[in-house]
């Protein structure tokens, strides 16, 4: 657990991509009017969740006024509202909302990360920025490997970024590389990789991704990982595993 916490601290101090550093810090200075009284995080956002997670969720990058503001993955934006509600609905989160980094939210057997840890302009990291950030994801995968059994990748960008990271971390990735699709499932050396449309507003507002579709993928991945969701009566007792 100390190794993962150390990795998170090192990620927070990264300044490897000048464009992303300039953007995240500019956003933190200028802010959005609705958050004028906030002190923005304005740094790379590390992963969130336990070090012995059996299931990993891989997004794209922090939102400018979400994770870049709060300092926690998918916290403080509409995408996070959808994701954490779904995790709560299937018993893998202690509460359905994620507002601040100190709001008491806990995840049960699940960790959330991204292939790019800084908020990018227009939510679009460049291929070079993605590749520069990849070693962080590779290190995280290596640390999670002893317990990790399933991974849900949100969106095609995350899928394209995750596959080389899994290969670099020692998993055998099929050739040609599997194509992204919602509901795609790829077995990798004792781990199953699942594709899911991203929880972006564009997808959730148009109905391309519904809450039911999201819950179905998350539930299948949790069952594959041997996770049993917490009930309303015992959400605070921690993760429950099958096997």
């Amino acid at each position: 657990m100390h190794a993962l916490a150390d990795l998170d601290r090192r990620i927070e101090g990264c300044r490897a991509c000048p464009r992303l550093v300039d953007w995240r810090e500019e956003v933190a200075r200028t802010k959005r009017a609705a958050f004028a009284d906030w002190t923005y995080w304005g740094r790379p956002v590390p992963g969130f969740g336990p070090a012995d997670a059996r299931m990993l969720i891989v997004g794209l990058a922090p939102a400018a006024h979400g994770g870049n503001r709060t300092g926690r993955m998918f916290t403080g934006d509409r995408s996070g509202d959808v994701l954490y509600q779904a995790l709560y609905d299937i018993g893998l989160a202690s509460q359905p909302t994620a507002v601040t980094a100190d709001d008491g939210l806990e995840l049960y057997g699940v960790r959330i990360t991204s292939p790019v840890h800084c908020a990018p302009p227009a939510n679009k990291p460049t291929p070079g920025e993605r590749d520069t950030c990849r070693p962080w994801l590779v290190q995280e995968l290596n640390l999670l490997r002893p317990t990790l059994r399933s991974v849900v990748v949100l969106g095609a960008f995350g899928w394209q970024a995750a596959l080389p990271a899994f290969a670099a971390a020692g998993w055998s990735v099929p050739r040609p590389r599997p194509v992204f699709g919602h509901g795609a499932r790829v077995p990798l050396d004792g781990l199953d990789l699942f594709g899911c449309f991203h929880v972006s507003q564009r997808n959730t507002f148009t109905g391309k991704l519904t809450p039911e579709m999201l819950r179905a993928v998350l539930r299948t991945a949790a069952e594959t990982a041997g996770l049993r969701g917490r009930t309303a009566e015992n959400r605070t007792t921690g993760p429950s595993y099958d096997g």
Side-chain angles (χ1 to χ4, degrees):
M1 297 182 73
H2 295 300
L4 192 58
D6 178 68
L7 176 66
D8 290 344
R9 285 192 294 269
R10 289 189 288 119
I11 288 172
E12 291 171 9
C14 184
R15 300 182 65 84
C17 299
R19 187 183 79 114
L20 297 187
V21 171
D22 290 346
W23 172 254
R24 79 193 190 207
E25 294 181 355
E26 175 65 19
V27 169
R29 283 192 298 270
T30 58
K31 308 181 182 181
R32 178 175 282 172
F35 307 119
D37 59 342
W38 275 75
T39 299
Y40 274 52
W41 174 256
R43 288 178 273 163
V45 180
F48 169 56
D52 61 349
R54 297 173 70 96
M55 174 175 159
L56 182 68
I57 298 173
V58 179
L60 190 162
H65 302 281
N68 189 57
R69 171 172 59 91
T70 63
R72 193 173 70 190
M73 287 285 172
F74 282 103
T75 298
D77 61 45
R78 291 185 183 273
S79 295
D81 292 343
V82 173
L83 178 60
Y84 287 116
Q85 179 69 62
L87 289 170
Y88 178 82
D89 288 344
I90 64 174
L92 296 180
S94 63
Q95 60 193 47
T97 57
V99 181
T100 65
D102 60 355
D103 59 11
L105 173 65
E106 292 184 65
L107 300 182
Y108 303 136
V110 180
R111 185 171 171 87
I112 300 176
T113 193
S114 64
V116 176
H117 286 277
C118 291
N123 290 323
K124 293 182 179 179
T126 67
E129 289 161 351
R130 174 201 63 199
D131 295 347
T132 298
C133 210
R134 182 176 297 141
W136 295 124
L137 180 56
V138 173
Q139 292 178 64
E140 190 170 12
L141 291 173
N142 279 324
L143 292 172
L144 293 172
R145 186 164 191 153
T147 57
L148 194 61
R149 297 295 177 267
S150 70
V151 179
V152 175
V153 182
L154 302 174
F157 181 96
W159 185 268
Q160 293 162 2
L163 290 176
F166 276 99
W171 275 274
S172 296
V173 177
R175 291 278 190 176
R177 286 178 176 163
V179 176
F180 171 79
H182 183 82
R185 181 171 184 172
V186 180
L188 302 177
D189 300 335
L191 176 151
D192 280 54
L193 190 68
F194 295 86
C196 180
F197 290 142
H198 197 280
V199 289
S200 65
Q201 292 185 57
R202 180 176 59 187
N203 288 342
T204 58
F205 283 8
T206 61
K208 182 176 181 179
L209 178 67
T210 66
E212 293 77 14
M213 291 167 65
L214 177 59
R215 285 195 298 266
V217 174
L218 293 175
R219 187 177 289 113
T220 300
E223 291 171 352
T224 300
L227 287 173
R228 293 197 304 272
R230 302 285 83 190
T231 65
E233 292 74 23
N234 63 2
R235 287 183 189 273
T236 60
T237 61
S240 179
Y241 306 137
D242 289 323

PDB file of all heavy atoms in Angstrom, residues 187-206:
ATOM      1  N   PRO A 187      -9.881 -11.383 -22.726  1.00  0.00           N
ATOM      2  CA  PRO A 187      -9.134 -12.031 -21.641  1.00  0.00           C
ATOM      3  C   PRO A 187      -7.635 -11.763 -21.780  1.00  0.00           C
ATOM      4  O   PRO A 187      -7.074 -11.870 -22.860  1.00  0.00           O
ATOM      5  CB  PRO A 187      -9.452 -13.519 -21.840  1.00  0.00           C
ATOM      6  CG  PRO A 187      -9.759 -13.642 -23.297  1.00  0.00           C
ATOM      7  CD  PRO A 187     -10.349 -12.339 -23.742  1.00  0.00           C
ATOM      8  N   LEU A 188      -7.018 -11.398 -20.657  1.00  0.00           N
ATOM      9  CA  LEU A 188      -5.573 -11.142 -20.625  1.00  0.00           C
ATOM     10  C   LEU A 188      -4.966 -11.839 -19.416  1.00  0.00           C
ATOM     11  O   LEU A 188      -5.061 -11.340 -18.303  1.00  0.00           O
ATOM     12  CB  LEU A 188      -5.274  -9.639 -20.504  1.00  0.00           C
ATOM     13  CG  LEU A 188      -5.802  -8.664 -21.548  1.00  0.00           C
ATOM     14  CD1 LEU A 188      -5.425  -7.243 -21.141  1.00  0.00           C
ATOM     15  CD2 LEU A 188      -5.207  -8.976 -22.911  1.00  0.00           C
ATOM     16  N   ASP A 189      -4.345 -12.977 -19.575  1.00  0.00           N
ATOM     17  CA  ASP A 189      -3.540 -13.594 -18.519  1.00  0.00           C
ATOM     18  C   ASP A 189      -4.151 -13.474 -17.111  1.00  0.00           C
ATOM     19  O   ASP A 189      -3.575 -12.835 -16.234  1.00  0.00           O
ATOM     20  CB  ASP A 189      -2.145 -12.962 -18.474  1.00  0.00           C
ATOM     21  CG  ASP A 189      -1.396 -13.122 -19.778  1.00  0.00           C
ATOM     22  OD1 ASP A 189      -1.710 -14.069 -20.523  1.00  0.00           O
ATOM     23  OD2 ASP A 189      -0.503 -12.310 -20.048  1.00  0.00           O
ATOM     24  N   GLY A 190      -5.311 -14.038 -16.905  1.00  0.00           N
ATOM     25  CA  GLY A 190      -5.917 -13.993 -15.583  1.00  0.00           C
ATOM     26  C   GLY A 190      -6.668 -12.719 -15.274  1.00  0.00           C
ATOM     27  O   GLY A 190      -7.071 -12.480 -14.124  1.00  0.00           O
ATOM     28  N   LEU A 191      -6.862 -11.910 -16.279  1.00  0.00           N
ATOM     29  CA  LEU A 191      -7.570 -10.635 -16.116  1.00  0.00           C
ATOM     30  C   LEU A 191      -8.475 -10.435 -17.324  1.00  0.00           C
ATOM     31  O   LEU A 191      -8.097 -10.761 -18.447  1.00  0.00           O
ATOM     32  CB  LEU A 191      -6.537  -9.511 -15.999  1.00  0.00           C
ATOM     33  CG  LEU A 191      -7.013  -8.058 -15.907  1.00  0.00           C
ATOM     34  CD1 LEU A 191      -5.990  -7.245 -15.119  1.00  0.00           C
ATOM     35  CD2 LEU A 191      -7.171  -7.436 -17.299  1.00  0.00           C
ATOM     36  N   ASP A 192      -9.674  -9.895 -17.096  1.00  0.00           N
ATOM     37  CA  ASP A 192     -10.585  -9.600 -18.204  1.00  0.00           C
ATOM     38  C   ASP A 192     -10.706  -8.101 -18.386  1.00  0.00           C
ATOM     39  O   ASP A 192     -10.913  -7.356 -17.424  1.00  0.00           O
ATOM     40  CB  ASP A 192     -11.964 -10.208 -17.938  1.00  0.00           C
ATOM     41  CG  ASP A 192     -12.009 -11.691 -18.270  1.00  0.00           C
ATOM     42  OD1 ASP A 192     -11.173 -12.446 -17.745  1.00  0.00           O
ATOM     43  OD2 ASP A 192     -12.870 -12.086 -19.055  1.00  0.00           O
ATOM     44  N   LEU A 193     -10.577  -7.665 -19.646  1.00  0.00           N
ATOM     45  CA  LEU A 193     -10.665  -6.261 -20.022  1.00  0.00           C
ATOM     46  C   LEU A 193     -12.020  -6.025 -20.674  1.00  0.00           C
ATOM     47  O   LEU A 193     -12.398  -6.732 -21.603  1.00  0.00           O
ATOM     48  CB  LEU A 193      -9.531  -5.929 -20.991  1.00  0.00           C
ATOM     49  CG  LEU A 193      -9.262  -4.483 -21.345  1.00  0.00           C
ATOM     50  CD1 LEU A 193      -8.723  -3.729 -20.143  1.00  0.00           C
ATOM     51  CD2 LEU A 193      -8.244  -4.419 -22.500  1.00  0.00           C
ATOM     52  N   PHE A 194     -12.753  -5.008 -20.165  1.00  0.00           N
ATOM     53  CA  PHE A 194     -14.088  -4.700 -20.674  1.00  0.00           C
ATOM     54  C   PHE A 194     -14.106  -3.299 -21.271  1.00  0.00           C
ATOM     55  O   PHE A 194     -13.539  -2.362 -20.697  1.00  0.00           O
ATOM     56  CB  PHE A 194     -15.126  -4.756 -19.551  1.00  0.00           C
ATOM     57  CG  PHE A 194     -15.319  -6.116 -18.947  1.00  0.00           C
ATOM     58  CD1 PHE A 194     -14.497  -6.559 -17.922  1.00  0.00           C
ATOM     59  CD2 PHE A 194     -16.322  -6.958 -19.405  1.00  0.00           C
ATOM     60  CE1 PHE A 194     -14.666  -7.818 -17.359  1.00  0.00           C
ATOM     61  CE2 PHE A 194     -16.504  -8.215 -18.849  1.00  0.00           C
ATOM     62  CZ  PHE A 194     -15.668  -8.645 -17.830  1.00  0.00           C
ATOM     63  N   GLY A 195     -14.796  -3.148 -22.394  1.00  0.00           N
ATOM     64  CA  GLY A 195     -14.995  -1.838 -22.986  1.00  0.00           C
ATOM     65  C   GLY A 195     -16.354  -1.270 -22.593  1.00  0.00           C
ATOM     66  O   GLY A 195     -17.338  -2.003 -22.504  1.00  0.00           O
ATOM     67  N   CYS A 196     -16.399   0.042 -22.375  1.00  0.00           N
ATOM     68  CA  CYS A 196     -17.655   0.723 -22.020  1.00  0.00           C
ATOM     69  C   CYS A 196     -17.596   2.131 -22.592  1.00  0.00           C
ATOM     70  O   CYS A 196     -16.554   2.797 -22.510  1.00  0.00           O
ATOM     71  CB  CYS A 196     -17.804   0.778 -20.496  1.00  0.00           C
ATOM     72  SG  CYS A 196     -19.311   1.602 -19.908  1.00  0.00           S
ATOM     73  N   PHE A 197     -18.697   2.588 -23.179  1.00  0.00           N
ATOM     74  CA  PHE A 197     -18.736   3.979 -23.624  1.00  0.00           C
ATOM     75  C   PHE A 197     -18.381   4.894 -22.453  1.00  0.00           C
ATOM     76  O   PHE A 197     -18.727   4.609 -21.304  1.00  0.00           O
ATOM     77  CB  PHE A 197     -20.122   4.352 -24.152  1.00  0.00           C
ATOM     78  CG  PHE A 197     -20.485   3.697 -25.463  1.00  0.00           C
ATOM     79  CD1 PHE A 197     -21.781   3.266 -25.686  1.00  0.00           C
ATOM     80  CD2 PHE A 197     -19.545   3.537 -26.466  1.00  0.00           C
ATOM     81  CE1 PHE A 197     -22.131   2.669 -26.887  1.00  0.00           C
ATOM     82  CE2 PHE A 197     -19.883   2.947 -27.671  1.00  0.00           C
ATOM     83  CZ  PHE A 197     -21.181   2.509 -27.879  1.00  0.00           C
ATOM     84  N   HIS A 198     -17.710   6.000 -22.751  1.00  0.00           N
ATOM     85  CA  HIS A 198     -17.303   6.927 -21.698  1.00  0.00           C
ATOM     86  C   HIS A 198     -18.532   7.594 -21.082  1.00  0.00           C
ATOM     87  O   HIS A 198     -19.556   7.785 -21.735  1.00  0.00           O
ATOM     88  CB  HIS A 198     -16.357   7.993 -22.272  1.00  0.00           C
ATOM     89  CG  HIS A 198     -15.591   8.729 -21.223  1.00  0.00           C
ATOM     90  ND1 HIS A 198     -16.131   9.768 -20.499  1.00  0.00           N
ATOM     91  CD2 HIS A 198     -14.332   8.551 -20.747  1.00  0.00           C
ATOM     92  CE1 HIS A 198     -15.229  10.219 -19.639  1.00  0.00           C
ATOM     93  NE2 HIS A 198     -14.127   9.497 -19.765  1.00  0.00           N
ATOM     94  N   VAL A 199     -18.402   7.956 -19.807  1.00  0.00           N
ATOM     95  CA  VAL A 199     -19.516   8.587 -19.082  1.00  0.00           C
ATOM     96  C   VAL A 199     -19.546  10.099 -19.325  1.00  0.00           C
ATOM     97  O   VAL A 199     -19.960  10.875 -18.452  1.00  0.00           O
ATOM     98  CB  VAL A 199     -19.437   8.292 -17.568  1.00  0.00           C
ATOM     99  CG1 VAL A 199     -19.771   6.850 -17.292  1.00  0.00           C
ATOM    100  CG2 VAL A 199     -18.048   8.639 -17.003  1.00  0.00           C
ATOM    101  N   SER A 200     -19.142  10.528 -20.503  1.00  0.00           N
ATOM    102  CA  SER A 200     -19.157  11.945 -20.861  1.00  0.00           C
ATOM    103  C   SER A 200     -20.596  12.436 -20.991  1.00  0.00           C
ATOM    104  O   SER A 200     -21.525  11.654 -21.247  1.00  0.00           O
ATOM    105  CB  SER A 200     -18.429  12.165 -22.185  1.00  0.00           C
ATOM    106  OG  SER A 200     -19.130  11.533 -23.242  1.00  0.00           O
ATOM    107  N   GLN A 201     -20.780  13.741 -20.845  1.00  0.00           N
ATOM    108  CA  GLN A 201     -22.118  14.307 -21.015  1.00  0.00           C
ATOM    109  C   GLN A 201     -22.647  14.047 -22.417  1.00  0.00           C
ATOM    110  O   GLN A 201     -23.852  13.816 -22.598  1.00  0.00           O
ATOM    111  CB  GLN A 201     -22.086  15.816 -20.746  1.00  0.00           C
ATOM    112  CG  GLN A 201     -21.811  16.170 -19.297  1.00  0.00           C
ATOM    113  CD  GLN A 201     -21.898  17.660 -19.058  1.00  0.00           C
ATOM    114  OE1 GLN A 201     -22.921  18.287 -19.334  1.00  0.00           O
ATOM    115  NE2 GLN A 201     -20.821  18.238 -18.550  1.00  0.00           N
ATOM    116  N   ARG A 202     -21.767  14.092 -23.399  1.00  0.00           N
ATOM    117  CA  ARG A 202     -22.210  13.839 -24.774  1.00  0.00           C
ATOM    118  C   ARG A 202     -22.856  12.468 -24.891  1.00  0.00           C
ATOM    119  O   ARG A 202     -23.885  12.306 -25.584  1.00  0.00           O
ATOM    120  CB  ARG A 202     -21.009  13.941 -25.722  1.00  0.00           C
ATOM    121  CG  ARG A 202     -21.357  13.703 -27.176  1.00  0.00           C
ATOM    122  CD  ARG A 202     -20.153  13.914 -28.057  1.00  0.00           C
ATOM    123  NE  ARG A 202     -19.057  13.022 -27.710  1.00  0.00           N
ATOM    124  CZ  ARG A 202     -17.850  13.096 -28.245  1.00  0.00           C
ATOM    125  NH1 ARG A 202     -17.575  14.042 -29.135  1.00  0.00           N
ATOM    126  NH2 ARG A 202     -16.909  12.241 -27.889  1.00  0.00           N
ATOM    127  N   ASN A 203     -22.302  11.471 -24.218  1.00  0.00           N
ATOM    128  CA  ASN A 203     -22.857  10.120 -24.292  1.00  0.00           C
ATOM    129  C   ASN A 203     -24.076   9.938 -23.395  1.00  0.00           C
ATOM    130  O   ASN A 203     -25.041   9.272 -23.778  1.00  0.00           O
ATOM    131  CB  ASN A 203     -21.786   9.090 -23.924  1.00  0.00           C
ATOM    132  CG  ASN A 203     -20.731   8.935 -24.998  1.00  0.00           C
ATOM    133  OD1 ASN A 203     -20.931   9.319 -26.147  1.00  0.00           O
ATOM    134  ND2 ASN A 203     -19.593   8.382 -24.633  1.00  0.00           N
ATOM    135  N   THR A 204     -24.027  10.494 -22.183  1.00  0.00           N
ATOM    136  CA  THR A 204     -25.132  10.261 -21.253  1.00  0.00           C
ATOM    137  C   THR A 204     -26.346  11.127 -21.566  1.00  0.00           C
ATOM    138  O   THR A 204     -27.482  10.701 -21.363  1.00  0.00           O
ATOM    139  CB  THR A 204     -24.668  10.501 -19.805  1.00  0.00           C
ATOM    140  OG1 THR A 204     -24.161  11.832 -19.662  1.00  0.00           O
ATOM    141  CG2 THR A 204     -23.575   9.511 -19.421  1.00  0.00           C
ATOM    142  N   PHE A 205     -26.139  12.336 -22.059  1.00  0.00           N
ATOM    143  CA  PHE A 205     -27.265  13.210 -22.377  1.00  0.00           C
ATOM    144  C   PHE A 205     -28.002  12.745 -23.628  1.00  0.00           C
ATOM    145  O   PHE A 205     -29.200  12.956 -23.757  1.00  0.00           O
ATOM    146  CB  PHE A 205     -26.793  14.655 -22.572  1.00  0.00           C
ATOM    147  CG  PHE A 205     -26.508  15.384 -21.289  1.00  0.00           C
ATOM    148  CD1 PHE A 205     -26.518  14.737 -20.064  1.00  0.00           C
ATOM    149  CD2 PHE A 205     -26.229  16.741 -21.306  1.00  0.00           C
ATOM    150  CE1 PHE A 205     -26.257  15.401 -18.877  1.00  0.00           C
ATOM    151  CE2 PHE A 205     -25.966  17.426 -20.124  1.00  0.00           C
ATOM    152  CZ  PHE A 205     -25.975  16.752 -18.914  1.00  0.00           C
ATOM    153  N   THR A 206     -27.279  12.130 -24.561  1.00  0.00           N
ATOM    154  CA  THR A 206     -27.911  11.670 -25.802  1.00  0.00           C
ATOM    155  C   THR A 206     -28.484  10.269 -25.687  1.00  0.00           C
ATOM    156  O   THR A 206     -29.175   9.803 -26.593  1.00  0.00           O
ATOM    157  CB  THR A 206     -26.897  11.681 -26.962  1.00  0.00           C
ATOM    158  OG1 THR A 206     -25.822  10.781 -26.653  1.00  0.00           O
ATOM    159  CG2 THR A 206     -26.340  13.090 -27.183  1.00  0.00           C
TER     160      THR A 206
END
